[in-house]
């Protein structure tokens, strides 16, 4: 979405964003406040499509979904689709989809779920490493080679095992959705080799693994939640960032970065999370309707994200200088990050890392 359109909205949530950014503290957002904000947003057209009402809206319980990306992204469309599927199955729920960190960034939103202060969020797995070190496994670079392997690993026993372990953290993991293969952008120079990364200040997600990967490659990484990235790039506090093509395109990073490199350095999934304290208050039929809808919307999400991945790459290539990484250089990248993989295998847990590697190998 054009950032200018988001400005009034960002201002109205400035306090929330500041609280979220400054300490990772939980943000206290009552349902009433959100309802008012949402009504205001809907009136000026910004929230169109984000409220999916039950046929019996007055009696229905409202499920709020917090997203970090904007309402042009296939993640938002997929969350709306989830709401449509759910309201077809039952009249028990209304669904409200909040984008662009209107509620909170990934990590804070996940903490809100743990405390029963928010129903749903769909974060990248990466920041979850701060809650469960095991989730860092998806951040190990250059492991998942293609979409097919990603689907097989996530839809198989390894993916199930990772969803199940969320329960101990007061989270219910309902489905794997797609974020995608991440690629580098920056405003200083084309990056075709490791040497080109020297000294570039790069935003990473809030995870030590990404920080260590970029550090090993010679860049200057700094962690940040998504809501701060555009401004950081625009003001030059960071030179670049890395994300899948749809995010680069739809968050407007091509407006503030000139160079794009097809690094495909890691595949990070989204995980559909529900608050366990709130889940435990629902009856079995309600739980089943929610679980089925999250799972069914996964297909729509993957299909849409992959379509947009292609069209976004075409789009941004018109506006950015695109560099491909040669096979030889790709090997140098892989060698440079080997010690990071070794070190973090210990924090993640060697069993989990082995299971992951084996699951990926089995797809080849
Ligand atoms: O809701 C999901 C987004 O907040 C997010 O995880 C995007 O990949 C992302 C990033 O780089 O922050």
């Amino acid at each position: 979405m054009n950032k200018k359109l988001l400005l009034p909205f960002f201002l109205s949530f400035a306090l929330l964003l500041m609280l979220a950014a400054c300490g990772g503290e939980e943000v206290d957002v009552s349902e009433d406040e959100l309802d008012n904000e949402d009504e205001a947003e809907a009136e000026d057209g910004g929230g169109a499509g984000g409220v999916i009402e039950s046929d019996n809206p007055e009696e229905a319980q409202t499920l709020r979904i917090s997203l970090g990306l904007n309402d042009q992204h296939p993640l938002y469309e997929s969350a709306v689709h989830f709401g449509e599927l759910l309201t077809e199955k039952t009249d028990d729920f209304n669904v409200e989809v909040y984008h662009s960190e209107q509620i909170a960034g990934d990590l804070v939103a996940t903490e809100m779920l743990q405390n029963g202060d928010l129903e749903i969020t769909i974060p990248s797995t990466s920041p979850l490493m701060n809650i469960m070190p095991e989730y860092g496994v998806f951040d190990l670079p250059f492991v998942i080679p293609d979409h097919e392997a990603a689907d097989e690993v996530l839809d198989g026993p390894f993916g199930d095992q990772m969803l199940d372990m969320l329960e101990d953290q007061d989270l219910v993991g309902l489905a794997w959705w797609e974020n995608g293969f991440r690629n580098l952008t920056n405003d200083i120079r084309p990056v075709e080799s490791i040497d080109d990364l020297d000294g570039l200040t790069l935003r990473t997600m809030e995870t030590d693994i990404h920080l260590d990967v970029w550090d090993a490659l010679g860049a200057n990484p700094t962690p940040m939640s998504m809501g701060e990235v555009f401004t950081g790039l625009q003001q030059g506090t960071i030179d670049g960032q890395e994300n899948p093509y749809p995010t680069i395109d739809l968050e407007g990073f091509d407006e503030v970065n000139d160079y794009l490199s097809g690094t495909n350095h890691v595949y990070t999934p989204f995980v559909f999370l529900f608050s366990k304290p709130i889940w435990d208050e629902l009856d079995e039929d309600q739980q089943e309707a929610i679980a089925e809808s999250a799972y069914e919307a996964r297909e729509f999400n993957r299909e849409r994200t992959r379509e947009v991945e292609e069209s976004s790459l075409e789009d941004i290539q018109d506006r950015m200088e695109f560099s491909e990484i040669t096979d030889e250089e790709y090997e140098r990248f892989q060698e440079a990050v080997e010690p990071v993989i070794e070190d973090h295998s210990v924090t993640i847990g060697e069993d989990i890392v082995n299971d992951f590697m084996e699951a990926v190998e089995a797809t080849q």
Side-chain angles (χ1 to χ4, degrees):
M1 169 183 257
N2 186 329
K3 287 277 152 184
K4 284 181 201 130
L5 297 178
L6 284 174
L7 191 63
F9 193 69
F10 276 144
L11 291 177
S12 69
F13 276 93
L15 185 61
L16 290 179
L17 289 172
M18 275 161 56
L19 282 171
C22 302
E25 300 275 309
E26 180 185 315
V27 181
D28 181 16
V29 187
S30 74
E31 261 195 53
D32 284 353
E33 276 172 60
L34 285 173
D35 286 344
N36 292 341
E37 293 294 351
D38 193 61
E39 273 164 30
E41 197 203 7
E43 268 166 30
D44 73 15
V51 181
I52 306 98
E53 280 197 338
S54 141
D55 285 343
N56 188 7
E58 301 303 321
E59 298 296 316
Q61 178 177 349
T62 296
L63 304 181
R64 293 156 302 160
I65 305 182
S66 171
L67 303 178
L69 297 170
N70 69 27
D71 62 356
Q72 303 300 298
H73 196 279
L75 177 63
Y76 178 85
E77 272 181 76
S78 309
V80 169
H81 186 63
F82 158 82
E84 290 163 352
L85 291 171
L86 181 62
T87 48
E88 273 164 27
K89 288 185 205 294
T90 169
D91 289 343
D92 290 354
F93 303 106
N94 300 313
V95 176
E96 294 179 357
V97 186
Y98 293 87
H99 58 87
S100 311
E101 298 191 358
Q102 287 167 332
I103 294 181
D106 284 350
L107 193 52
V108 177
T110 305
E111 286 164 2
M112 291 172 77
L113 259 61
Q114 291 178 299
N115 296 330
D117 293 333
L118 172 71
E119 291 77 21
I120 300 171
T121 187
I122 313 172
S124 290
T125 46
S126 313
L128 299 189
M129 197 205 172
N130 296 288
I131 297 172
M132 272 175 303
E134 293 89 340
Y135 261 65
V137 75
F138 298 110
D139 295 308
L140 297 177
F142 306 111
V143 179
I144 293 190
D146 49 42
H147 287 125
E148 291 68 32
D151 293 352
E152 263 186 66
V153 170
L154 295 171
D155 300 347
F158 181 78
D160 291 347
Q161 170 194 343
M162 294 301 290
L163 289 181
D164 289 347
M165 83 177 46
L166 291 160
E167 203 161 330
D168 287 346
Q169 299 297 330
D170 278 333
L171 299 166
V172 182
L174 293 177
W176 297 109
W177 285 14
E178 172 134 317
N179 191 357
F181 287 96
R182 304 180 76 89
N183 294 284
L184 181 74
T185 71
N186 85 95
D187 206 31
I188 304 293
R189 62 180 90 97
V191 171
E192 289 169 357
S193 72
I194 296 197
D195 312 311
D196 298 327
L197 285 165
D198 189 34
L200 289 185
T201 309
L202 300 181
R203 174 267 176 175
T204 70
M205 286 188 285
E206 293 150 302
T207 152
D208 285 351
I209 303 187
H210 286 216
L211 288 171
D212 292 348
V213 163
W214 290 105
D215 199 40
L217 292 169
N220 225 340
T222 177
M224 225 175 248
S225 134
M226 174 53 83
E228 301 163 76
V229 181
F230 185 89
T231 313
L233 293 171
Q234 194 176 39
Q235 295 179 346
T237 47
I238 43 174
D239 301 321
Q241 63 81 50
E242 46 82 59
N243 249 298
Y245 295 132
T247 304
I248 295 170
D249 184 19
L250 301 169
E251 291 288 330
F253 296 155
D254 56 311
E255 293 166 27
V256 282
N257 271 181
D258 284 341
Y259 305 104
L260 169 68
S261 302
T263 46
N264 280 309
H265 49 275
V266 69
Y267 175 95
T268 52
F270 284 137
V271 59
F272 191 112
L273 299 178
F274 202 98
S275 159
K276 183 148 187 326
I278 300 175
W279 184 260
D280 289 341
E281 300 292 312
L282 304 175
D283 68 37
E284 267 183 37
D285 289 344
Q286 292 174 323
Q287 291 177 344
E288 199 176 298
I290 295 168
E292 279 177 12
S293 305
Y295 188 76
E296 284 165 24
R298 183 190 74 179
E299 287 322 304
F300 171 91
N301 165 264
R302 283 184 182 161
E303 211 172 291
R304 264 312 276 151
T305 306
R306 287 169 196 180
E307 274 167 22
V308 175
E309 188 174 48
E310 273 181 40
S311 58
S312 284
L313 177 59
E314 266 174 45
D315 252 33
I316 47 184
Q317 264 179 309
D318 288 344
R319 299 189 292 271
M320 302 178 90
E321 189 178 322
F322 181 62
S323 306
E324 290 207 67
I325 308 297
T326 61
D327 288 349
E328 206 180 21
E329 202 49 44
Y330 208 69
E331 273 172 32
R332 282 186 69 204
F333 274 78
Q334 283 171 312
E335 265 168 42
V337 300
E338 261 167 35
V340 180
I341 297 187
E342 267 168 44
D343 284 358
H344 280 284
S345 295
V346 179
T347 34
I348 294 166
E350 282 172 6
D351 290 351
I352 298 278
V353 175
N354 288 341
D355 290 350
F356 179 57
M357 297 292 181
E358 277 170 23
V360 175
E361 260 169 49
T363 66
Q364 297 308 292

